[in-house]
C-alpha cells in the first residue's frame, strides 16, 4: 500500500477568552483509508466535514492529534532527515485556486525549479531541460518558462501548478478541488491531462472534492465524510450505484441531472451541517437524517462491511 491513514484525529482547542467558553473542535475524529500505487481515491463531503484537514495532515502541514499516516508502510511520525525529505518529494499537491497558489512575482521557470532545487542540485542546463520537459508534459511550450503567472489563463495556470508538482517525480499527488475554480469549458481538459499523467507516471491521486460528478468520473474508490468521520466508503461505481448511507443518498439525490424528468428533492439534505465544536450525540447525522430512529440519537453507529468492498456506519445500512 502506498499511503495508509489509520484512525486519524485532529482536534483543535478554540476560544477560552473572557467572553467565550473554550472548546475542542473535532475536525477529524477517527478516520482511515488507503491509496494504492496508481489509483485515485476521493474524499467527498460538504465544507466543514474535515476533508481539507486530512489533506493538510497528509501533506504534513498539520500534525495529527492521534492516529497514524503511513507511506510505504512507514509511519510519518517516525521519519526524519533524508526519509522525511523523500516523503515530501514523493507526495505533492495541486490546490484549488491556481491564481493564489502560484507566486505572482516569479517567472514560471523559477516556480517550477523551486521544488527541484529543494531536493537536488542539477546544473543550469539540466534544470532548464527538466523545467521545459514538465511544461511539455502539461501541454505548454518552453517559452512559457519566461513568463509570469498573470500572463496565463486559469486553465494554463493550473497546468503550471501540475508541472510544478510533477517536477520532482512524485508517487502521489493530493488534488484539493483541482477544477472547481476553473471555467466549466476547460475543466474536462484539465481532467484529461490529469488522467494522461496518471497513466504515464503511475501516479496515485488523493482527491479532495465536493463535486460528486468529478468524483464519479475520476476516482476508483471514494470515501464520504460527515463531520470528521467517514460514513461510507467503497469502489466508486458501487457506492454511486448503491449508496447505503442516508447522507450519501441525500448527496447523490441533490446532484442536478440532465434528465428533464429528474427533480432533485428540495429537502435532499435538510438543515445545516452541525458544528464540529459540539457535534450531536449518537450518529452525528441524526438531526438531518430522514430515516433516523430513536437509537440514532444515543448510539454512534459502528463501521461495518456491507459486501463488495463497500462499508459504512449506519444502524440501518443493512436494511437499505
Ligand atoms: Fe440516519 Fe440513524 Fe443511519 Fe445515522 S445511524 S444515518 S441517523 S439511520
Amino acid at each position: 500500500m502506498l499511503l495508509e491513514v489509520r484512525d486519524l484525529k485532529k482536534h483543535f482547542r478554540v476560544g477560552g477568552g473572557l467572553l467565550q467558553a473554550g472548546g475542542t473542535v473535532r475536525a477529524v475524529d477517527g478516520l482511515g483509508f488507503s491509496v494504492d500505487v496508481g489509483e485515485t481515491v476521493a474524499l467527498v463531503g460538504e465544507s466543514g466535514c474535515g476533508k481539507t484537514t486530512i489533506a493538510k495532515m497528509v501533506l504534513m502541514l498539520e500534525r495529527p492529534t492521534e492516529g497514524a499516516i503511513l507511506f510505504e508502510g512507514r509511519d510519518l511520525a517516525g521519519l526524519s532527515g533524508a526519509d522525511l525529505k523523500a516523503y515530501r518529494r514523493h507526495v505533492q499537491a495541486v490546490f484549488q485556486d491556481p491564481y493564489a497558489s502560484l507566486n505572482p512575482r516569479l517567472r514560471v521557470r523559477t516556480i517550477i525549479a523551486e521544488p527541484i532545487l529543494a531536493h537536488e542540485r542539477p546544473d543550469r542546463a539540466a534544470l532548464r531541460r527538466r523545467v521545459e520537459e514538465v511544461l511539455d508534459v502539461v501541454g505548454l511550450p518552453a517559452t512559457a518558462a519566461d513568463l509570469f503567472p498573470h500572463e496565463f489563463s486559469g486553465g494554463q495556470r493550473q497546468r503550471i501548478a501540475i508541472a510544478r508538482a510533477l517536477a520532482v517525480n512524485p508517487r502521489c499527488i493530493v488534488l484539493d478541488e483541482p477544477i472547481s475554480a476553473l471555467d466549466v469549458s476547460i475543466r474536462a481538459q484539465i481532467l484529461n491531462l490529469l488522467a494522461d499523467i496518471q497513466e504515464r507516471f503511475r501516479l496515485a491521486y488523493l482527491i479532495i472534492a465536493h463535486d460528486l460528478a468529478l468524483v464519479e468520473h475520476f476516482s476508483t474508490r471514494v470515501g464520504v465524510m460527515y463531520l470528521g468521520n467517514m460514513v461510507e466508503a467503497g469502489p466508486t461505481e458501487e457506492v454511486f450505484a448503491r449508496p447505503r448511507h442516508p447522507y450519501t443518498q441525500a448527496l447523490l439525490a441533490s446532484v442536478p441531472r440532465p434528465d428533464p424528468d429528474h427533480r432533485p428533492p428540495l429537502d435532499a439534505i435538510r438543515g445545516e451541517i452541525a458544528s464540529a465544536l459540539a457535534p450531536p450525540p449518537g450518529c452525528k447525522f441524526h438531526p438531518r437524517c430522514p430515516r433516523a430512529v430513536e437509537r440514532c440519537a444515543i448510539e454512534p453507529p459502528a463501521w461495518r462491511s456491507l459486501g463488495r468492498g463497500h462499508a459504512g456506519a449506519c444502524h440501518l445500512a443493512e436494511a437499505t
Side-chain angles (χ1 to χ4, degrees):
M1 193 55 67
L2 188 67
L3 184 72
E4 197 179 343
V5 165
R6 289 187 190 159
D7 200 19
L8 200 64
K9 294 184 184 173
K10 181 67 189 179
H11 298 170
F12 300 97
R13 287 290 303 164
V14 292
L18 271 179
L19 302 172
Q20 193 187 15
T24 301
V25 173
R26 297 168 181 274
V28 176
D29 205 16
L31 181 142
F33 64 89
S34 60
V35 186
D36 214 343
V37 175
E39 82 164 333
T40 301
V41 172
L43 297 180
V44 67
E46 293 166 283
S47 61
C49 71
K51 56 191 195 297
T52 299
T53 308
I54 300 256
K56 285 183 178 166
M57 287 191 278
V58 167
L59 293 168
M60 299 189 86
L61 302 173
E62 297 270 6
R63 275 176 172 279
T65 307
E66 271 180 48
I69 301 173
L70 289 85
F71 187 74
E72 295 179 322
R74 297 182 68 190
D75 190 337
L76 300 194
L79 297 185
S80 59
D83 292 333
L84 184 58
K85 217 171 162 188
Y87 176 77
R88 292 192 187 280
R89 174 184 196 144
H90 286 317
V91 181
Q92 294 291 312
V94 171
F95 296 102
Q96 173 178 16
D97 186 355
Y99 293 85
S101 65
L102 303 176
N103 188 331
R105 290 186 299 275
L106 300 181
R107 289 184 198 275
V108 168
R109 183 180 307 287
T110 312
I111 289 172
I112 296 176
E114 252 179 3
I116 302 173
L117 293 173
H119 295 282
E120 45 190 289
R121 287 277 167 264
D123 61 38
R124 281 172 72 99
L127 184 61
R128 191 181 184 94
R129 270 199 310 278
R130 181 73 189 136
V131 169
E132 291 174 4
E133 220 172 79
V134 286
L135 282 172
D136 184 57
V137 169
V138 301
L140 291 172
T143 49
D146 296 317
L147 304 177
F148 290 94
H150 74 262
E151 295 177 86
F152 296 90
S153 67
Q156 288 171 326
R157 286 186 213 203
Q158 200 60 314
R159 286 176 192 267
I160 296 166
I162 295 167
R164 179 184 155 94
L166 274 183
V168 289
N169 297 318
R171 312 272 316 273
C172 177
I173 301 186
V174 177
L175 301 168
D176 187 356
E177 305 278 8
I179 56 165
S180 57
L182 304 177
D183 272 5
V184 174
S185 58
I186 51 167
R187 288 180 181 181
Q189 292 172 19
I190 297 297
L191 289 181
N192 288 339
L193 172 66
L194 288 169
D196 289 348
I197 288 170
Q198 180 171 46
E199 203 179 317
R200 187 161 163 192
F201 300 105
R202 270 199 98 211
L203 279 170
Y205 289 147
L206 173 62
I207 299 192
I208 308 296
H210 69 277
D211 178 347
L212 290 166
L214 161 69
V215 169
E216 183 174 11
H217 292 110
F218 204 66
S219 66
T220 39
R221 287 191 294 131
V222 61
V224 181
M225 289 183 62
Y226 188 78
L227 265 185
N229 293 108
M230 196 83 87
V231 295
E232 182 161 11
T236 306
E237 229 180 285
E238 165 69 18
V239 170
F240 275 68
R242 279 170 287 277
R244 305 283 284 280
H245 193 284
Y247 179 59
T248 315
Q249 291 166 354
L251 275 183
L252 291 178
S254 66
V255 176
R257 301 269 162 84
D259 174 3
D261 295 330
H262 176 81
R263 294 274 179 275
L266 291 176
D267 62 345
I269 310 180
R270 56 186 189 186
E272 296 287 316
I273 192 166
S275 161
L277 187 57
C283 171
K284 290 179 182 175
F285 187 55
H286 87 262
R288 303 172 75 188
C289 181
R291 298 178 59 212
V293 293
E294 206 172 317
R295 175 187 181 196
C296 300
I298 303 159
E299 190 187 328
W303 182 256
R304 52 191 180 271
S305 167
L306 302 167
R308 303 187 216 214
H310 199 153
C314 169
H315 292 310
L316 307 182
E318 281 84 2
T320 309

